[in-house]
Amino acid sequence: MNNIIYTSDVTSITAKQLTGFFVGWPTPPSPETLRQLLHKSDCRVLAIDEDENAVVGFITALTDGVLFGYISSLEVRPAHQNLGIGKQLVTRMLAELDHLYAIDLVCDPDIQPFYERCGLRPCSAMIVRRRDSLNPG
Ligand SMILES: CC(C)(COP(=O)(O)OP(=O)(O)OC[C@H]1O[C@@H](n2cnc3c(N)ncnc32)[C@H](O)[C@@H]1OP(=O)(O)O)[C@@H](O)C(=O)NCCC(=O)NCCS
């Protein structure tokens, strides 16, 4: 495996380093949209493949900084999956949010075993999705 480093610093990350994500989305957000998402999230951790000079995984969270945190996105590029990167990203984000009472996220049932391996437990959720708000840019 190539050398993977983890960072929360997005200041010098370009859209060009953020390709290959949102796999399977009918209208995938553009790399530039992902760049903005990373900047505007309260917390983020990136996994960077130093040899490829590319971001190969990311996790973001939103928080009030008092009691509640919400893990809003997590993805590892397909070629880098099953190498422990996703678990590293979740573990690092949970550590960053360690002072909070509640850390929540929403996921499909088939991903629950992954999150259970990361120390989370199942719960139910209610959601709204506005697909027409996605801008492929
Ligand atoms: C889900 C995802 C982030 C996992 O990342 P990953 O880097 O492949 O996962 P890891 O290699 O860190 O796996 C950690 C552990 O979870 C297990 N695991 C990984 N994906 C799993 C899955 N879909 N179901 C069950 N277990 C899974 C691994 O086997 C590993 O087990 P171990 O600790 O016993 O060795 C990645 O598959 C992904 O990006 N999927 C597409 C986007 C997505 O579904 N994001 C989540 C949105 S809620």
Side-chain angles (χ1 to χ4, degrees):
M1 181 170 72
N2 292 341
N3 195 34
I4 305 295
I5 60 161
Y6 296 89
T7 181
S8 57
D9 183 6
V10 286
T11 46
S12 60
I13 297 294
T14 64
K16 204 175 154 190
Q17 291 173 290
L18 293 168
T19 59
F21 290 105
F22 302 108
V23 174
W25 285 46
T27 313
S30 68
E32 172 55 23
T33 298
L34 175 54
R35 195 189 68 78
Q36 292 178 28
L37 181 157
L38 293 169
H39 273 263
K40 293 185 177 180
S41 296
D42 295 316
C43 310
R44 85 286 301 156
V45 184
L46 309 182
I48 297 177
D49 184 321
E50 287 196 303
D51 303 284
E52 293 185 18
N53 188 29
V55 176
V56 296
F58 66 88
I59 187 168
T60 57
L62 311 175
T63 178
D64 54 33
V66 181
L67 289 180
F68 297 100
Y70 173 69
I71 293 179
S72 41
S73 65
L74 166 69
E75 188 169 348
V76 176
R77 281 191 351 193
H80 286 77
Q81 288 178 11
N82 296 309
L83 298 172
I85 295 172
K87 192 173 180 181
Q88 269 292 324
L89 290 169
V90 174
T91 301
R92 286 165 185 262
M93 183 57 81
L94 292 178
E96 191 162 336
L97 301 176
D98 192 41
H99 59 294
L100 298 175
Y101 162 70
I103 302 167
D104 300 344
L105 64 85
V106 174
C107 72
D108 291 337
D110 61 322
I111 306 292
Q112 285 182 339
F114 164 75
Y115 284 116
E116 286 180 318
R117 281 177 159 86
C118 298
L120 287 82
R121 60 185 168 86
C123 186
S124 59
M126 304 292 283
I127 66 168
V128 173
R129 292 287 183 272
R130 297 194 177 92
R131 295 191 196 287
D132 55 1
S133 76
L134 290 172
N135 178 4

